[in-house]
Amino acid sequence: MTELVRQQIARDRARTAAFPFLRARKIARMRASAHGFLRGAAPLYYQILRARPELAEGPPGQGWLAGDLHVENFGAYRPESLAGRHADRVVFDLNDFDDAFTGPWRLDVLRLLTSVLLSARARGLDGTQAVELGERLLAAHGT
């Protein structure tokens, strides 16, 4: 695991070399909470799944993935496709696609579920309540 963390640090250092303040901000956000760490470590998440494929087992199905899906990647926005025609329309949906790729849908669902559980615990919910939220997410995703 230590090697994976070193790789994440090296990747972040390379990606933010021209903007050291971004790296400092990312590190601060990742240190703040388990959810913050999950948000900032998508490549590490996928490396762990490659090393432990049994963690990513699940139903079949492929398609476009957000790649770094978590609860904070949802929000309200005005879609550009509606600009002008329906300027008063607001959509609540996924709003972060910079790490999108095609793959098994279950990988996004697993990452989102992990995010829900970590966020629930950070907000003071007990384990039972956190699991109930996770079950609601899975039930809603299946529809």
Side-chain angles (χ1 to χ4, degrees), residues 73-94:
N73 275 350
F74 290 88
Y77 60 94
R78 284 185 168 62
E80 288 184 31
S81 62
L82 298 177
R85 294 182 296 146
H86 303 284
D88 59 336
R89 285 246 177 108
V90 175
V91 174
F92 182 86
D93 202 347
L94 184 60

Side-chain angles (χ1 to χ4, degrees), residues 1-9 11 43-44 47-48 51:
M1 188 65 78
T2 305
E3 182 55 32
L4 292 176
V5 173
R6 282 191 190 110
Q7 290 173 16
Q8 179 71 43
I9 291 169
R11 185 175 13 259
L44 179 61
Q47 281 184 266
I48 291 169

Side-chain angles (χ1 to χ4, degrees), residues 11-141:
R11 185 175 13 259
D12 290 344
R13 188 173 285 129
R15 291 181 76 184
T16 60
F19 306 98
F21 68 94
L22 289 177
R23 184 167 173 267
R25 187 178 91 177
K26 181 175 182 176
I27 289 170
R29 293 173 88 182
M30 289 177 73
R31 285 182 175 165
S33 69
H35 186 263
F37 186 85
L38 177 77
R39 285 188 63 206
L44 179 61
Y45 168 81
Y46 287 104
Q47 281 184 266
I48 291 169
L49 291 182
R50 275 192 293 280
R52 303 268 316 273
E54 71 276 9
L55 295 175
E57 291 177 0
Q62 300 250 346
W64 280 102
L65 307 180
D68 69 340
L69 193 58
H70 53 79
V71 295
E72 293 179 7
N73 275 350
F74 290 88
Y77 60 94
R78 284 185 168 62
E80 288 184 31
S81 62
L82 298 177
R85 294 182 296 146
H86 303 284
D88 59 336
R89 285 246 177 108
V90 175
V91 174
F92 182 86
D93 202 347
L94 184 60
N95 61 13
D96 185 354
F97 302 97
D98 59 334
D99 292 314
F101 66 97
T102 57
W105 287 317
R106 65 184 179 272
L107 299 182
D108 258 3
V109 175
L110 176 61
R111 188 163 168 80
L112 180 58
L113 178 59
T114 302
S115 172
V116 165
L117 296 174
L118 292 174
S119 295
R121 295 307 299 263
R123 286 168 175 68
L125 299 179
D126 65 29
T128 301
Q129 293 168 312
V131 169
E132 286 175 9
L133 283 176
E135 289 174 342
R136 284 182 179 177
L137 168 73
L138 293 174
H141 188 274

